Amino acid sequence: MAETATTVRSTRLTTSEALLRRKRGWFFGLSGDRVAKVVFQGNAAISILVLALITFTIFRDAVGFVPMNRHNLEIYRLAGLEFTDHLRREVEDYSSFNRYLGAVRSDRLTQLQRAGLPIATAQAQLADFDAYANRVADAIAAHETVLGTLTETATSLKERQKVAQDTEHARADLENALPTATPEHAAELRRQIEKMVPEKINFRTEVQAMKDQLPELKTANVALATAISELAAHPPRLGDAALDARLTRFTELLRLFPAQLDAATKRMEAWDQLKPVSFAESLTAFAFGREWITASFWQDWYGILPLLFGSLLISTIALFIAIPLGLAAAIYVNQVARPVEQKFIKPTIEFVSAIPSVVLGFFGIAVLGESLRKLSQLPAFDWVPGFPFSERLNATTAACLLALMAVPTIFSLAEDAINNVPRSFKEASLALGSTRLQTIVHIIIPSALSGIMAAILLGLGRVIGETMVVLLCAGNRIQIPDFTAGLGTAFQPVHTMTGIIAQEMGEVVRGSLHYRALFMVGVVLFLISLLINWLAQKIVRRYRIAA
Amino acid sequence: MKQFLSLSLAAIVATSAIAAEKIVIKGSDTLGAKLVPMLAEDYKARNGDVAFEIAAEGSTTGISAIIDSTAQIGMSSRRAKPTESSAALAKGVTLKPTIVAFDGIGVIVNQGNGVSALTKRQVEQIFTGDITDWSQVGGTPGKISVYTRNTSSGTYSDFKELAMKKRDYAGSSQKMAGNEQIAAEVAKNPNGIGYVGLAYLHDPGIKTVAIDGALPTEESVQAKKYPYARPTFYYTNGEPSGEAAKFVEFTLSDEGQKTVRKVGFVPVRTVN
């Protein structure tokens, strides 16, 4: 190094060599250049270390979810909540008959009003129908009574179990405090410990009382079957072909119910209270759970599907809007625009990403959501699927704003990708006599496709991780979107993975099951982001065209 | 971290020349949005240099703040659950509730909605999703949009208990972060229904529904005629002490209770 230093004066050194060369000017035994190198190295190391730490803590807090949820599900089974839910599902299924009749009724009411009848007269005309609907609703009353009894027993049992568990915890904590306590404080602690006797619950005998309801339930099943055959034989007639057809369909569905109820009763008879819950079951309850119910008096469920579908629905709509905008702008700016236009368009689009998402969220609530709703109410737009809708906060409102946030990402990266297509490709194509449009469509875009795909993926990453906008504008309905609505699904309120973490994390008890469930959602988000970035990198590397 | 911050802050404050007392109050949005800040202002006007730190994020936070000793007063619109009491006991904390006001939960619909009275049973059916259309309760046909508070709010679980026989909300219900948001959405949505604290019943664009013939008023709440009324609490670790004790006392004084009335809650006793 030292002898070459004099000869290499005229040629440039590589950066690493230049940093390693000895210079005068000592600083704690290091030359200035070395200090610089150490600082750079140190900073890079710190970033990686911090990233590793964050990842580790997220996973550490999430992992505890599985055993805790397993315990949660075990109690669900032991205390007879599962047993009760077999019946609950049937009773809830039955209530869909009431809703079916309600829908028919409201359609008929609209018909009568359109025909010019005053509302009181129309309601009076429906009196027979209402009487029938009430008979249908009342037929399940006996089951509802049994369900009520079971519910009460199971909840009180669960509550007692909770209290017993807590008492045990408290007792253990006080016992741990004994050795270090002063004598008089220890005496006080002992008094407290004596007061705390956790109840020993014998779940088998307690649940036996619930199983003893089965004969009553079977009697009720027979009575219901009789009532249903009676009801299905004489449906009311409304004098409108379409509605009467729906009522006929209703009777067919109603006839199927007793068999379903008997099957549920058989399941209740075969139900095994002491069957253990596996870790896999606990994990699948999260990964494939269709319900996210917290702070319930009955049973908390932490299923990620409603949130995952909400996130995916919003992202899909957002990309659907953002891809054409971002790509078209990128192609135009790079291939068609005059320099003056370029100087104006590029900074403008990139400026959008400088708008804080909270501001966009407020804009979404106050302006965009409201105007979309007003637009949907216009009779001229009735042909649009999902119109008219009455919630101004829904998936589309949030997705429009997210699209706005994804456009700059997609635009910049796609523009870079197009810029990297070797000039010779374009020139060769033009020299062969193709038009500029043909060149763009057949040469430039296919060559830049890998970069464009990466741009789209990173745009998706931007959208799926956004929190503030979805929290404010998505409507926060924790339910798997109803895809039977076709394209109208886009106008349903949804809740998202990022939204649920933001909404509930500040308010859960540290270390509780709910807290860990939120961390599990965080892990899923983390994995999705990781997958997106990995895919983007892979695509770019795999399909890069050598210049 | 929070404790470290508050400790270091306390150290800084202690060493500074102006030794200002500080009261940290956390918890219920129902109490913390309007009432407690107003009480704090009045209190400051009388007692000078007292600093307040008020965070309103839901009753669960209030009670857990007392358990974790990160606040002197926890505001709550529900009683502590047995699990919370025992968690407190385990940490050597005794949760002491003090009733500071009564609150009614009003059921609200859009101003333009034809429905102005519902039975308790109908309310239960609407919020649990048994009834999904306004025509089923005598309104104009239209799909009901249910707005509720988010899961950590005390009002959320209170309403379950008071109005829904502890059943779960309909899956289609939309979770809003606060009373104001519910009022705003219902005001904008002709098919909306939601519930808010008494203080929010006079927001524009909404109207209150009579439940079994009773509207939530001071008389009906104190006479226990209105079904959805509940006490609201300050939770403290045992008997409050120092500045916090004075503030609790001030809240229960005649002057404090007049503020309670002014904000739209019902005083704990008859105040002239």
Side-chain angles (χ1 to χ4, degrees), chain A residues 102-292:
Chain A
V104 171
R105 184 189 194 279
S106 74
D107 285 357
R108 180 62 183 164
L109 195 65
T110 321
Q111 270 182 9
L112 292 173
Q113 280 182 288
R114 287 221 178 106
L117 286 180
I119 191 132
T121 322
Q123 298 273 27
Q125 273 207 15
L126 286 165
D128 283 350
F129 184 88
D130 286 349
Y132 179 80
N134 281 336
R135 281 210 304 281
V136 171
D138 291 343
I140 198 85
H143 290 82
E144 279 178 339
T145 312
V146 174
L147 180 63
T149 318
L150 292 182
T151 303
E152 226 157 89
T153 319
T155 25
S156 75
L157 196 52
K158 190 179 170 179
E159 187 61 37
R160 271 164 57 198
Q161 194 276 337
K162 233 186 199 162
V163 171
Q165 206 185 351
D166 283 340
T167 316
E168 215 160 316
H169 271 297
R171 200 186 162 106
D173 280 328
L174 295 184
E175 276 169 355
N176 290 341
L178 269 180
T180 55
T182 55
E184 57 267 28
H185 184 50
E188 171 58 30
L189 282 175
R190 279 200 192 86
R191 264 201 301 281
Q192 291 285 353
I193 288 172
E194 269 164 40
K195 272 191 218 161
M196 287 181 200
V197 185
E199 186 193 6
K200 289 269 178 288
I201 302 169
N202 185 341
F203 284 105
R204 289 194 76 153
T205 49
E206 298 274 358
V207 169
Q208 196 51 50
M210 295 169 72
K211 284 184 177 170
D212 291 344
Q213 295 271 318
L214 277 170
E216 196 178 327
L217 190 64
K218 281 181 184 156
T219 322
N221 283 0
V222 175
L224 181 70
T226 323
I228 278 181
S229 63
E230 167 67 23
L231 284 164
H234 309 288
R237 289 282 165 236
L238 291 169
D240 173 89
L243 289 180
D244 283 343
R246 274 167 72 186
L247 284 173
T248 312
R249 175 84 191 120
F250 170 81
T251 56
E252 287 164 13
L253 292 170
L254 195 59
R255 276 183 213 278
L256 296 175
F257 187 75
Q260 184 189 330
L261 189 61
D262 285 336
T265 314
K266 286 224 167 50
R267 276 201 299 278
M268 287 167 83
E269 280 175 317
W271 172 74
D272 174 17
Q273 183 192 3
L274 302 172
K275 196 176 149 204
V277 181
S278 68
F279 282 116
E281 252 177 291
S282 157
L283 196 60
T284 47
F286 170 81
F288 304 107
R290 305 171 63 87
E291 284 180 318
W292 181 279

Side-chain angles (χ1 to χ4, degrees), chain A residues 88 92 95 98-99 102-103 105-106 109-110 113 119 123 144 159 162-163 166-167 169-170 173-174 192 196 293-299 365 370 373-374 377 390-393 472 474-479 493 495 503-504 506-510 514, chain B residues 57-58 60-61 64 68 81-84 86-87 89-92 121 129-133 135-136 138-141 143-147 150-153 156-157 160-161 166-168 170-177 181 184-185 188-191:
Chain A
R88 183 185 308 281
E92 273 169 8
S95 73
N98 302 333
R99 282 198 290 277
R105 184 189 194 279
S106 74
L109 195 65
T110 321
Q113 280 182 288
I119 191 132
Q123 298 273 27
E144 279 178 339
E159 187 61 37
K162 233 186 199 162
V163 171
D166 283 340
T167 316
H169 271 297
D173 280 328
L174 295 184
Q192 291 285 353
M196 287 181 200
I293 297 174
T294 60
S296 169
F297 284 101
W298 180 246
Q299 172 72 5
I365 292 179
E370 193 54 27
R373 194 173 69 90
K374 285 228 169 73
Q377 308 281 13
S390 51
E391 277 95 353
R392 58 180 182 166
L393 306 181
L472 291 171
N476 301 350
R477 187 175 83 177
I478 311 177
Q479 206 180 31
H495 214 316
Q503 200 174 46
E504 295 183 346
E507 300 151 340
V508 293
V509 180
R510 239 191 105 87
H514 188 177
Chain B
E57 296 157 335
T60 309
T61 4
S64 56
D68 301 337
K81 298 174 189 158
T83 47
E84 284 167 334
S86 57
L89 199 58
K91 291 207 172 176
R121 173 83 181 132
D130 296 348
I131 289 181
T132 54
D133 199 286
S135 64
Q136 289 167 278
T140 45
K143 205 168 170 355
I144 300 178
S145 299
V146 176
Y147 295 97
N150 52 329
T151 51
S152 67
S153 121
Y156 177 92
S157 52
K160 258 190 200 185
E161 212 158 342
K166 294 193 176 185
R167 291 170 62 191
D168 283 317
S172 60
S173 62
Q174 298 178 57
K175 314 270 182 291
M176 298 285 139
Q181 279 92 324
E185 288 311 312
K188 287 287 181 196
N189 184 343
N191 292 326

